[in-house]
Amino acid sequence: MITIKQAAAEFLAKKRIAVTGVSREPQTHAANAVYRRLRDRGYEVFAVNPNADEVEGDRCHRDLTSIPGGVEAVVIGTRPEAAEDTVRECVALGIRQVWMHRLYGSGSVSEKAAAFGREHGITVIEGGCPLMFGPTADTGHKVMRVALTPAGRLPRRVEVP
């Protein structure tokens, strides 16, 4: 087990990151905010949505497999029911870092998908947002991190396979 801060640092040390669930309607989706911030902070970031050819003015990929050159990490910003398929795709592609986004409600967290990922050597962060940490953080997200941790909405520790 490592702290959430250590897990976040390892995740954000990756430079090629896919974000699933990026929408054609950017104002309504957290995945879009994550995608934009990673892109704006210099990450090579790839939008994934099977129903879109373009989002945020960039090419959108139907799945992780269709990203040229692959990625090192994935932010899951879809419904929890879709997370398991994404984690299975990560296993098949050898991706070892997954972050299931959640601020409120269930977000994108699927316990079944997380367990499957860990069983197959993936470090899975269940909850919170990459924008709460390191080079992607802003004041608002840092405040959310402080508020959500004691409430149990953000894990304090992350299991490392």
Side-chain angles (χ1 to χ4, degrees):
M1 296 283 268
I2 59 174
T3 67
I4 182 68
K5 196 170 186 177
Q6 290 169 310
E10 287 178 19
F11 186 95
L12 293 169
K14 307 301 182 199
K15 293 302 176 192
R16 290 179 58 89
I17 300 175
V19 180
T20 67
V22 180
S23 175
R24 293 170 288 199
E25 300 173 22
Q27 347 29 342
T28 61
H29 294 277
N32 289 66
V34 172
Y35 176 80
R36 279 191 307 271
R37 179 70 56 81
L38 291 172
R39 181 184 63 191
D40 294 348
R41 297 287 165 92
Y43 288 85
E44 194 171 359
V45 63
F46 302 87
V48 178
N49 180 328
N51 302 309
D53 294 322
E54 182 179 299
V55 296
E56 299 287 340
D58 297 329
R59 177 179 174 203
C60 188
H61 303 273
R62 302 256 180 232
D63 52 30
L64 299 174
T65 305
S66 65
I67 298 172
V71 295
E72 301 170 283
V74 176
V75 177
I76 298 177
T78 58
R79 296 177 328 281
E81 306 83 58
E84 189 172 354
D85 287 340
T86 301
V87 173
R88 287 184 182 283
E89 193 176 10
C90 288
V91 168
L93 295 171
I95 298 165
R96 297 288 175 235
Q97 297 282 326
V98 170
W99 196 314
M100 295 178 182
H101 184 274
R102 173 180 62 202
L103 291 180
Y104 306 104
S106 61
S108 299
V109 175
S110 162
E111 290 181 24
K112 185 176 178 183
F116 181 83
R118 285 191 298 272
E119 288 168 10
H120 289 86
I122 295 176
T123 299
V124 180
I125 300 173
E126 296 177 71
C129 176
L131 306 188
M132 295 176 169
F133 296 91
T136 62
D138 58 51
T139 302
H141 278 87
K142 288 178 184 178
V143 168
M144 283 189 271
R145 181 180 79 207
V146 170
L148 293 175
T149 300
R153 301 305 299 163
L154 184 67
R156 292 180 187 270
R157 303 190 73 68
V158 174
E159 186 176 328
V160 178

